[in-house]
Amino acid sequence: MNAHPFFLGHVWLIPLFPLLTAAAMLFIGRRLNNSAVNALCCGSVFASFIFSVGAFLQLIALPSEERLVTSVLFEWIPALPFHMLNGRLANFVADFGFQIDPLSCVMILIVTGVGFLIHVYSTGYMAHEGGYYRFFGYLNLFMFSMLILVLANNLVMLFVGWEGVGTCSYLLIGFYFHRKSASDAGKKAFIVNRIGDAGFLLGIFLTSALLGTIRFAEIGPALAAGHFAMGDPLLTAIALLFFVGATGKSAQIPLYVWLPDAMEGPTPVSALIHAATMVTAGVYMVTRTNAIYQLAPKAMALVALVGAVTALFAASIGVVQTDIKKVLAYSTVSQLGYMFLACGVGAFTAGIFHLMTHAFFKGLLFLAAGSVIHALSGEQDMRKMGALSKKIPVTYWTMLIATLAIAGIFPFAGFLSKDLILGKAYEKDALLWAIGYFTAGMTAFYMFRLIFMTFHGTSRVDHDVEHHIHESPKSMLIPLLILAGLSIAGGWLSWPEIFGGNSRFVRFLEPVIATTQLARPEPTHGPGSPHGEIYLMLLSEGLVVLGICFAWYLYIKRTELPGKIAKSLGGFYRLVYHKYYVDQLYDALFVNRAKDLGLALGVFDTTVINGVGVNGAGWLTRFISSLSMWWDTWIVDGSIRLGSRIVWLFSYPVRLIQDGLVQSYMLLIVVGLIGFLGYYFYLGHHAVR
Amino acid sequence: MGHLIPQSIVPYVIPVICAVVIVAVLPLLAGYIVLMERKVMADMQARLGPMRVGPHGLLQPIADAVKLLLKEDIIPEKADLLLFWFAPLLSVTMALVAYAALPIGPAFQIADLNIGLLFILAVSALGIYGIVFGGWASNSHYSLLGALRSAAQLVSYETAAGLGLISALLLAGSLSMKEIVMAQYDQGVWFIWYVPIGFFIYLVGSIAETNRAPFDLPEAESELVAGYMTEYSGFRWSLYFLAEYANMIIVAGIATTLFLGGWLRPFVSFHDHLPGTSVELLDALPSLLVLGVALYCFYLAPKQPVKIQKLFMGAVGGLCFLLAAILAGALFAPAPVQQGIHGAFWFMAKVFGYLYLFLWFRFTFPRYRFDQLMRLGWRFLIPLSLVNLITLAVALLLTREWGWNLRLTTILSAGVTLGVAALLLKEDDAGSQMQTADGE
Amino acid sequence: MAALNSILFFFLSALAVVSAILMVTRRNIVHGAVYLITTLLATAGIFLLLQAEFLFVVQVILYVGGIMVLFVFVIMLVNLDVSLLRFQFNGQRFVAGVLALALSAQVFLAIWMGRNSLHLPEPAASIAAKNTEAVGDALFQRFMLPFEIASILLLVAMIGAVVMAKRRV
Amino acid sequence: MNATIPTDYYLWLSLALFTIGVIGVLTRRNVIIILMVFSRMWGSVDGQVFAIFVITDAAAEAAVGLGIILAFFRNRETLLADEMDMLKW
């Protein structure tokens, strides 16, 4: 282990820095002033970032096949022998260990890099909020958990990080805990995630039982040793269970409902957790366990389908949302759908690539939205915005860049990653491609609807708010600018071969993707040639431009039209506007039923448990003890009292002598003296005789 | 005459004569000490003091005595008659009884008890009853408080003073007053030079025991009117007064005997003779001193304003001249007579010197508060005297067993004691600050 | 000489007994204290007659000058006029008187029976002359241990008295 | 010298004083008197060294006794022995 270069050998320091500052904040933060909090928290994340960069540089210095460095700090859950499903004996071992390979390297760079920028942003955004140290404490704790998640070398460690980020998500969504909607949203996120986590946990158990190991590095060899057939039902089950977990964490159908509500949290939180890092944990996890998925084609098909449907579904809701952060939230759900689509069609590297670019531009979008909200003194409703482009130009331009990126305009980052996915999807299945293609158009539409409603047209800002519109402080703008740069250039890491590039990013990630994948059947229809790819790109560019024009037409040119369209569509509009009534459906199907169950159990508790069990037992005890008391009082105590009474009676005359008066004692002494002397006289008398 | 006096009474004749002389002279002496006190006070306050009654107020004590005897005798209504009558008597009696063992010169001593010092201490300690009962019998709060203060003060300082005396006793090796003086004669040095700290402790203790300023709390006029004497007047009051001054002379006598060489003249080991005679040079000193006083009186006599005063002053000068003649004549008398007369002179001279210290302190130091007084007694003087005693005992041991020089060892002992004293003072300072902080 | 001694002895004895009786019977405690002092002084005088000078001095200094001053001090501290008005003897006085007399009668009998065998040894001349030294020698040589024990007793008593008088019990 | 006074005379004197002391201790109500009489009882014994010890003892006894009386008086405001009955039972 020590043979590794410094940064690779000390990878465990990366999560340690945020943990230390988190502890400091949560224990003594109250006594620190804001600048100390800034220095500590941003400093620790920056230190992590430096270590991550160092680790990355040292990793790529290694030959491609050696890029897997594991450092086990100690054996966390020691070996427990158990029988595997095939009857062989295996040891359950969970290390407290870290593993760094191209995948986790990419993740830690995203997490610490974007995280650091968002930390800096937060120092400006949260400057006037209460609980400053608490916010940064939670944020650092999240950084720690997320880094544990992506650096874990086994499933249990990953699960620890998984739950850790969930907890921090809960704490940060409910940061404004005095607002009921915020605390409700936090609880909702937490509970919905529990469902997914249950699936994930079951998946871990099943993995352990089936493969006898939970170390990522050993899963591939175990699969190879187990001679599993393609489409093995148990492997499919594991993959599906993992995917359940992923749908929870990464907000896919049917567990996506918590993410839009999570926008109750502070905007930097939305950017960091609910756009850039945590919600992508599902994608990371699926990619991490791709060896299993590749042996479960049905599961992969489901993943692809769910991803595609989610993308379309969320995009359609996003079209009609009026809250700026809600739009972005649904957009996030939609983009996550793209990533799962990529995973589902076997393009894991494409998914991770999109994950990275998405972290850049969606983080930027959220931060810019936060800047807008900041400028408007907390206003989030787009209907009360408009014509802000001149007033907050930096925000406008950076947000426009991010929008172009997410819409997939060449050559912004989003275009490259999204087209990579669409290309792969087209190779796999035309329907999936069609859904993704259509979603891309919708994405362009609703994102530019957001831009137009916010920055262009006529100002609908409240009068008293209008005077206070101001550009955000430098600490917020500099992260925006850096992220804008990344949104433009981030995708160039994987410049497609058809444009003379070498897809370096995808090549970098290649070793992570299991080599056990069987030869895929040739795509039935697809681009087949570089030209085909070009056509696909042109096609999507065209749709995107169409969407932008449509948005421009509806929200700049003919602003009365959206209302009319909504009216003419009637029921369908309401259906979409109310997010397809999914929340209400869940309420009716699950939440209220759970509440009913709770009430019923409550009644059971009061009547049966309390009434019969507890009270009955109490009555019985009392009855028995009253019998015992009677025995005690009359037989046991009585005999003692009788004895004491007798002693008292006999002692009474003696007691009369002892009256407490010194002089009477002395009198008794005199009496005794007389007796003594008399006795001696008596003796003397006899002696004389 | 032998047949007139029964044989069994013969040993008692001279003591009785001495006793009568003492009882007769003592009130006069006390009166003149008062005059001396007033004169000293006047001198220290840069004024003249009594000047009218007799030349330079020499007859003032007589006049005061007459006034006191003629004053109305007031007895409080609810006083306890028996004790009110008895207490001053007890006081003065005990003071006078103590003179029985005081050696005023080698010849002039009523009884040379072999426990002389203890006898004096015991008897003078009884004088406290006069004060306590007197204060109680007066049925007055001032009196009672004065009496209680007096009792507490006496008990507290008796210990320290006694321990101070024991340091001299260790050197003398006897309780007999005469033998103590002789021990100083034998060693050729006054004990004050060996145990200065013992002398200092006894000095402070004796001032407190006689209720003199700055320890005159039992009769502090600003607090208790006149303390235990508040309700007394006339003759009874003068008895108390007499007892106080008699006690002063007693403690001065004790200090003289134990520390200042008793009746011995200064430089007792200096034996050079007048050429051609057996008379020692220094023995001529008393007569010369008194002769000087006589000459001064003769010098002052013509300056007196009134003729009778001129005559009186001349008579005083003549008296002094006569005294000088007697002292000079004694030089040629047999040795016991010479020593008796000169011893009495020196003894009285030292007693007056010691009393002058009392007066000096009285007009120099402000009065102590009662808790300060108690702290000084219990937390400074008693520990100090114990340490002094122990170091002195060690010094004597070193001298007797190992032959060290007594001068050296006593100086060492005094040094150690002084060090402890400094320590005690420092502690006491801290303690008193703490007490003030406690508010107690 | 002998006659004088006898006269003094009987005088002092009578004084002691009479003042003892008076002390026990006086209503006023202060008077009682005065009579007790008288008794003690008379006893001291008897010690002097026996040529026990040191004992005499100890009696006077310790008993009269020390202990009794303490008593008088306390009497004056706690003196209550009320107590003067109360009956001065307790309920068992008759029984107690009879018993005390019986006890003394017994002792009387004992002394009477043995009176002929009792006589003080003639003190040696050296002891008589140097009484104090003799007592000192006896104390510090033969009775060294009792002397030390007595000093410890005094120390304990001192601590006890300080504690008793100081603490608010 | 002391031969002229028979030894038993001293004993008679002692006995007389002792008897008076016993009566006083047993009958007086005032505790201070009782304590004083106690001193008296022991003081009637002769013997030089022994007497010195007795006196020492009396001093100790007086100190402690008076301390007790002071403490008692502070609490009870009385000096009557038959009102001091806290030793009962």
Side-chain angles (χ1 to χ4, degrees), chain A residues 655-656 658-663 665-668 670 673, chain D residues 22 25-28 34 38 81-82 84-85 87-89:
Chain A
R655 211 151 49 91
L656 286 181
Q658 195 178 0
D659 55 2
L661 296 177
V662 187
Q663 288 176 311
Y665 296 162
M666 287 191 286
L667 188 65
L668 290 174
V670 168
L673 255 171
Chain D
V22 171
V25 165
L26 293 182
T27 58
R28 283 299 295 254
I34 291 170
F38 243 118
D82 45 9
M84 299 178 180
D85 53 359
L87 281 174
K88 201 160 25 178
W89 291 303

mmCIF file of all heavy atoms in Angstrom, chain A residues 655-656 658-663 665-668 670 673, chain D residues 22 25-28 34 38 81-82 84-85 87-89:
data_model
loop_
_atom_site.group_PDB
_atom_site.id
_atom_site.type_symbol
_atom_site.label_atom_id
_atom_site.label_comp_id
_atom_site.label_asym_id
_atom_site.label_seq_id
_atom_site.Cartn_x
_atom_site.Cartn_y
_atom_site.Cartn_z
ATOM 1 N N ARG A 655 -36.127 2.054 81.804
ATOM 2 C CA ARG A 655 -36.092 3.346 81.126
ATOM 3 C C ARG A 655 -36.398 4.491 82.090
ATOM 4 O O ARG A 655 -35.925 5.608 81.923
ATOM 5 C CB ARG A 655 -37.107 3.336 79.987
ATOM 6 C CG ARG A 655 -36.748 4.184 78.814
ATOM 7 C CD ARG A 655 -37.331 3.608 77.555
ATOM 8 N NE ARG A 655 -38.752 3.309 77.747
ATOM 9 C CZ ARG A 655 -39.725 4.184 77.475
ATOM 10 N NH1 ARG A 655 -39.414 5.365 77.025
ATOM 11 N NH2 ARG A 655 -40.978 3.857 77.648
ATOM 12 N N LEU A 656 -37.202 4.190 83.081
ATOM 13 C CA LEU A 656 -37.553 5.237 84.040
ATOM 14 C C LEU A 656 -36.308 5.754 84.741
ATOM 15 O O LEU A 656 -36.205 6.934 85.072
ATOM 16 C CB LEU A 656 -38.544 4.691 85.070
ATOM 17 C CG LEU A 656 -39.957 4.499 84.563
ATOM 18 C CD1 LEU A 656 -40.831 3.983 85.696
ATOM 19 C CD2 LEU A 656 -40.514 5.813 84.055
ATOM 20 N N GLN A 658 -33.332 5.941 83.523
ATOM 21 C CA GLN A 658 -32.523 6.783 82.617
ATOM 22 C C GLN A 658 -33.321 7.982 82.172
ATOM 23 O O GLN A 658 -33.905 8.002 81.108
ATOM 24 C CB GLN A 658 -32.080 5.955 81.413
ATOM 25 C CG GLN A 658 -30.971 6.610 80.651
ATOM 26 C CD GLN A 658 -30.519 5.773 79.495
ATOM 27 O OE1 GLN A 658 -31.042 4.687 79.271
ATOM 28 N NE2 GLN A 658 -29.540 6.251 78.758
ATOM 29 N N ASP A 659 -33.315 9.019 83.004
ATOM 30 C CA ASP A 659 -34.182 10.153 82.703
ATOM 31 C C ASP A 659 -33.435 11.286 82.021
ATOM 32 O O ASP A 659 -33.991 12.346 81.802
ATOM 33 C CB ASP A 659 -34.849 10.659 83.982
ATOM 34 C CG ASP A 659 -33.835 10.999 85.035
ATOM 35 O OD1 ASP A 659 -32.628 10.879 84.741
ATOM 36 O OD2 ASP A 659 -34.229 11.384 86.149
ATOM 37 N N GLY A 660 -32.134 11.097 81.708
ATOM 38 C CA GLY A 660 -31.419 12.133 80.985
ATOM 39 C C GLY A 660 -30.858 13.223 81.860
ATOM 40 O O GLY A 660 -30.193 14.116 81.400
ATOM 41 N N LEU A 661 -31.136 13.180 83.161
ATOM 42 C CA LEU A 661 -30.631 14.225 84.042
ATOM 43 C C LEU A 661 -29.292 13.791 84.613
ATOM 44 O O LEU A 661 -29.157 12.702 85.178
ATOM 45 C CB LEU A 661 -31.615 14.488 85.178
ATOM 46 C CG LEU A 661 -32.961 15.033 84.704
ATOM 47 C CD1 LEU A 661 -33.896 15.180 85.890
ATOM 48 C CD2 LEU A 661 -32.774 16.376 84.040
ATOM 49 N N VAL A 662 -28.320 14.654 84.459
ATOM 50 C CA VAL A 662 -26.970 14.319 84.896
ATOM 51 C C VAL A 662 -26.953 14.007 86.378
ATOM 52 O O VAL A 662 -26.291 13.087 86.846
ATOM 53 C CB VAL A 662 -26.020 15.493 84.589
ATOM 54 C CG1 VAL A 662 -24.607 15.108 84.878
ATOM 55 C CG2 VAL A 662 -26.166 15.917 83.156
ATOM 56 N N GLN A 663 -27.718 14.798 87.096
ATOM 57 C CA GLN A 663 -27.629 14.674 88.552
ATOM 58 C C GLN A 663 -28.179 13.363 89.059
ATOM 59 O O GLN A 663 -27.659 12.785 90.011
ATOM 60 C CB GLN A 663 -28.361 15.840 89.195
ATOM 61 C CG GLN A 663 -27.562 17.128 89.019
ATOM 62 C CD GLN A 663 -28.294 18.308 89.566
ATOM 63 O OE1 GLN A 663 -29.470 18.495 89.263
ATOM 64 N NE2 GLN A 663 -27.634 19.084 90.361
ATOM 65 N N TYR A 665 -28.036 10.625 87.460
ATOM 66 C CA TYR A 665 -26.992 9.635 87.202
ATOM 67 C C TYR A 665 -25.943 9.668 88.315
ATOM 68 O O TYR A 665 -25.474 8.642 88.780
ATOM 69 C CB TYR A 665 -26.306 9.923 85.871
ATOM 70 C CG TYR A 665 -27.211 9.801 84.677
ATOM 71 C CD1 TYR A 665 -26.865 10.367 83.464
ATOM 72 C CD2 TYR A 665 -28.417 9.113 84.768
ATOM 73 C CE1 TYR A 665 -27.686 10.264 82.370
ATOM 74 C CE2 TYR A 665 -29.248 9.007 83.686
ATOM 75 C CZ TYR A 665 -28.890 9.583 82.486
ATOM 76 O OH TYR A 665 -29.702 9.487 81.413
ATOM 77 N N MET A 666 -25.631 10.886 88.698
ATOM 78 C CA MET A 666 -24.619 11.010 89.745
ATOM 79 C C MET A 666 -25.128 10.416 91.050
ATOM 80 O O MET A 666 -24.377 9.796 91.803
ATOM 81 C CB MET A 666 -24.234 12.467 89.924
ATOM 82 C CG MET A 666 -23.372 12.963 88.767
ATOM 83 S SD MET A 666 -22.638 14.543 89.060
ATOM 84 C CE MET A 666 -24.045 15.600 88.857
ATOM 85 N N LEU A 667 -26.406 10.585 91.256
ATOM 86 C CA LEU A 667 -26.992 9.990 92.456
ATOM 87 C C LEU A 667 -26.798 8.491 92.422
ATOM 88 O O LEU A 667 -26.440 7.856 93.424
ATOM 89 C CB LEU A 667 -28.479 10.341 92.520
ATOM 90 C CG LEU A 667 -29.185 9.946 93.820
ATOM 91 C CD1 LEU A 667 -28.601 10.744 94.964
ATOM 92 C CD2 LEU A 667 -30.668 10.185 93.708
ATOM 93 N N LEU A 668 -27.008 7.934 91.232
ATOM 94 C CA LEU A 668 -26.833 6.488 91.097
ATOM 95 C C LEU A 668 -25.377 6.096 91.349
ATOM 96 O O LEU A 668 -25.105 5.052 91.937
ATOM 97 C CB LEU A 668 -27.277 6.036 89.710
ATOM 98 C CG LEU A 668 -28.777 6.128 89.501
ATOM 99 C CD1 LEU A 668 -29.131 5.800 88.064
ATOM 100 C CD2 LEU A 668 -29.504 5.193 90.440
ATOM 101 N N VAL A 670 -23.436 7.574 93.369
ATOM 102 C CA VAL A 670 -23.274 7.605 94.825
ATOM 103 C C VAL A 670 -23.837 6.334 95.425
ATOM 104 O O VAL A 670 -23.221 5.702 96.310
ATOM 105 C CB VAL A 670 -23.958 8.853 95.404
ATOM 106 C CG1 VAL A 670 -24.051 8.751 96.910
ATOM 107 C CG2 VAL A 670 -23.183 10.090 95.022
ATOM 108 N N LEU A 673 -21.436 3.704 94.923
ATOM 109 C CA LEU A 673 -20.293 3.869 95.827
ATOM 110 C C LEU A 673 -20.616 3.334 97.218
ATOM 111 O O LEU A 673 -19.822 2.617 97.832
ATOM 112 C CB LEU A 673 -19.945 5.349 95.917
ATOM 113 C CG LEU A 673 -18.698 5.800 95.148
ATOM 114 C CD1 LEU A 673 -18.605 7.306 95.152
ATOM 115 C CD2 LEU A 673 -17.469 5.210 95.804
ATOM 116 N N VAL D 22 -20.432 16.557 97.435
ATOM 117 C CA VAL D 22 -21.402 15.577 96.929
ATOM 118 C C VAL D 22 -22.813 16.120 97.048
ATOM 119 O O VAL D 22 -23.614 16.047 96.106
ATOM 120 C CB VAL D 22 -21.262 14.247 97.694
ATOM 121 C CG1 VAL D 22 -22.403 13.317 97.321
ATOM 122 C CG2 VAL D 22 -19.947 13.603 97.366
ATOM 123 N N VAL D 25 -23.341 18.748 94.391
ATOM 124 C CA VAL D 25 -23.496 18.201 93.041
ATOM 125 C C VAL D 25 -24.863 17.574 92.866
ATOM 126 O O VAL D 25 -25.517 17.709 91.827
ATOM 127 C CB VAL D 25 -22.390 17.167 92.764
ATOM 128 C CG1 VAL D 25 -22.742 16.344 91.546
ATOM 129 C CG2 VAL D 25 -21.078 17.845 92.566
ATOM 130 N N LEU D 26 -25.319 16.895 93.903
ATOM 131 C CA LEU D 26 -26.565 16.155 93.758
ATOM 132 C C LEU D 26 -27.793 17.032 93.843
ATOM 133 O O LEU D 26 -28.856 16.653 93.364
ATOM 134 C CB LEU D 26 -26.639 15.056 94.812
ATOM 135 C CG LEU D 26 -25.607 13.938 94.652
ATOM 136 C CD1 LEU D 26 -25.811 12.902 95.724
ATOM 137 C CD2 LEU D 26 -25.705 13.312 93.288
ATOM 138 N N THR D 27 -27.660 18.203 94.455
ATOM 139 C CA THR D 27 -28.908 18.911 94.736
ATOM 140 C C THR D 27 -29.061 20.246 94.024
ATOM 141 O O THR D 27 -30.187 20.690 93.836
ATOM 142 C CB THR D 27 -29.037 19.181 96.252
ATOM 143 O OG1 THR D 27 -27.913 19.921 96.672
ATOM 144 C CG2 THR D 27 -29.096 17.877 97.020
ATOM 145 N N ARG D 28 -27.966 20.889 93.659
ATOM 146 C CA ARG D 28 -28.158 22.218 93.053
ATOM 147 C C ARG D 28 -28.694 22.099 91.629
ATOM 148 O O ARG D 28 -28.456 21.113 90.937
ATOM 149 C CB ARG D 28 -26.833 22.993 93.038
ATOM 150 C CG ARG D 28 -26.474 23.568 94.374
ATOM 151 C CD ARG D 28 -27.508 24.551 94.873
ATOM 152 N NE ARG D 28 -27.594 25.731 94.050
ATOM 153 C CZ ARG D 28 -27.115 26.931 94.394
ATOM 154 N NH1 ARG D 28 -26.541 27.094 95.572
ATOM 155 N NH2 ARG D 28 -27.242 27.963 93.595
ATOM 156 N N ILE D 34 -22.736 23.283 89.872
ATOM 157 C CA ILE D 34 -22.398 21.858 89.913
ATOM 158 C C ILE D 34 -20.957 21.653 89.462
ATOM 159 O O ILE D 34 -20.175 20.934 90.094
ATOM 160 C CB ILE D 34 -23.368 21.073 89.019
ATOM 161 C CG1 ILE D 34 -24.754 21.096 89.636
ATOM 162 C CG2 ILE D 34 -22.902 19.639 88.865
ATOM 163 C CD1 ILE D 34 -25.822 20.559 88.738
ATOM 164 N N PHE D 38 -17.826 20.261 91.635
ATOM 165 C CA PHE D 38 -17.021 19.130 91.171
ATOM 166 C C PHE D 38 -15.544 19.405 91.431
ATOM 167 O O PHE D 38 -14.817 18.564 91.971
ATOM 168 C CB PHE D 38 -17.233 18.914 89.668
ATOM 169 C CG PHE D 38 -17.841 17.604 89.375
ATOM 170 C CD1 PHE D 38 -19.075 17.499 88.770
ATOM 171 C CD2 PHE D 38 -17.164 16.436 89.709
ATOM 172 C CE1 PHE D 38 -19.641 16.289 88.503
ATOM 173 C CE2 PHE D 38 -17.722 15.212 89.443
ATOM 174 C CZ PHE D 38 -18.964 15.137 88.835
ATOM 175 N N ALA D 81 -29.922 22.288 85.597
ATOM 176 C CA ALA D 81 -29.508 20.932 85.236
ATOM 177 C C ALA D 81 -30.695 20.036 84.962
ATOM 178 O O ALA D 81 -30.610 19.133 84.124
ATOM 179 C CB ALA D 81 -28.671 20.339 86.353
ATOM 180 N N ASP D 82 -31.820 20.247 85.655
ATOM 181 C CA ASP D 82 -32.937 19.331 85.416
ATOM 182 C C ASP D 82 -33.737 19.721 84.186
ATOM 183 O O ASP D 82 -34.738 19.090 83.868
ATOM 184 C CB ASP D 82 -33.839 19.201 86.656
ATOM 185 C CG ASP D 82 -34.116 20.543 87.267
ATOM 186 O OD1 ASP D 82 -33.749 21.546 86.635
ATOM 187 O OD2 ASP D 82 -34.681 20.598 88.365
ATOM 188 N N MET D 84 -31.897 19.895 81.443
ATOM 189 C CA MET D 84 -31.011 19.300 80.432
ATOM 190 C C MET D 84 -31.274 17.805 80.415
ATOM 191 O O MET D 84 -30.690 17.040 81.173
ATOM 192 C CB MET D 84 -29.552 19.530 80.809
ATOM 193 C CG MET D 84 -29.181 20.986 80.898
ATOM 194 S SD MET D 84 -27.479 21.150 81.410
ATOM 195 C CE MET D 84 -27.311 22.914 81.426
ATOM 196 N N ASP D 85 -32.190 17.407 79.568
ATOM 197 C CA ASP D 85 -32.549 15.986 79.591
ATOM 198 C C ASP D 85 -32.426 15.375 78.204
ATOM 199 O O ASP D 85 -33.143 14.455 77.853
ATOM 200 C CB ASP D 85 -33.979 15.811 80.120
ATOM 201 C CG ASP D 85 -34.954 16.671 79.358
ATOM 202 O OD1 ASP D 85 -34.500 17.392 78.450
ATOM 203 O OD2 ASP D 85 -36.150 16.618 79.651
ATOM 204 N N LEU D 87 -30.113 13.659 77.150
ATOM 205 C CA LEU D 87 -29.430 12.355 77.162
ATOM 206 C C LEU D 87 -30.423 11.217 77.296
ATOM 207 O O LEU D 87 -30.060 10.064 77.264
ATOM 208 C CB LEU D 87 -28.450 12.297 78.332
ATOM 209 C CG LEU D 87 -27.129 13.023 78.116
ATOM 210 C CD1 LEU D 87 -26.342 13.010 79.396
ATOM 211 C CD2 LEU D 87 -26.361 12.346 77.034
ATOM 212 N N LYS D 88 -31.694 11.570 77.502
ATOM 213 C CA LYS D 88 -32.706 10.541 77.744
ATOM 214 C C LYS D 88 -32.828 9.599 76.543
ATOM 215 O O LYS D 88 -32.762 10.012 75.404
ATOM 216 C CB LYS D 88 -34.037 11.211 78.013
ATOM 217 C CG LYS D 88 -34.985 10.329 78.753
ATOM 218 C CD LYS D 88 -36.104 10.999 79.468
ATOM 219 C CE LYS D 88 -36.599 12.331 79.045
ATOM 220 N NZ LYS D 88 -37.720 12.769 79.858
ATOM 221 N N TRP D 89 -33.038 8.331 76.810
ATOM 222 C CA TRP D 89 -33.228 7.280 75.804
ATOM 223 C C TRP D 89 -32.123 7.137 74.783
ATOM 224 O O TRP D 89 -31.064 7.659 74.915
ATOM 225 C CB TRP D 89 -34.577 7.464 75.084
ATOM 226 C CG TRP D 89 -35.710 7.177 75.995
ATOM 227 C CD1 TRP D 89 -35.939 6.033 76.681
ATOM 228 C CD2 TRP D 89 -36.739 8.092 76.351
ATOM 229 N NE1 TRP D 89 -37.050 6.150 77.454
ATOM 230 C CE2 TRP D 89 -37.576 7.387 77.273
ATOM 231 C CE3 TRP D 89 -37.042 9.395 75.995
ATOM 232 C CZ2 TRP D 89 -38.673 7.972 77.841
ATOM 233 C CZ3 TRP D 89 -38.140 9.968 76.548
ATOM 234 C CH2 TRP D 89 -38.953 9.271 77.480
#
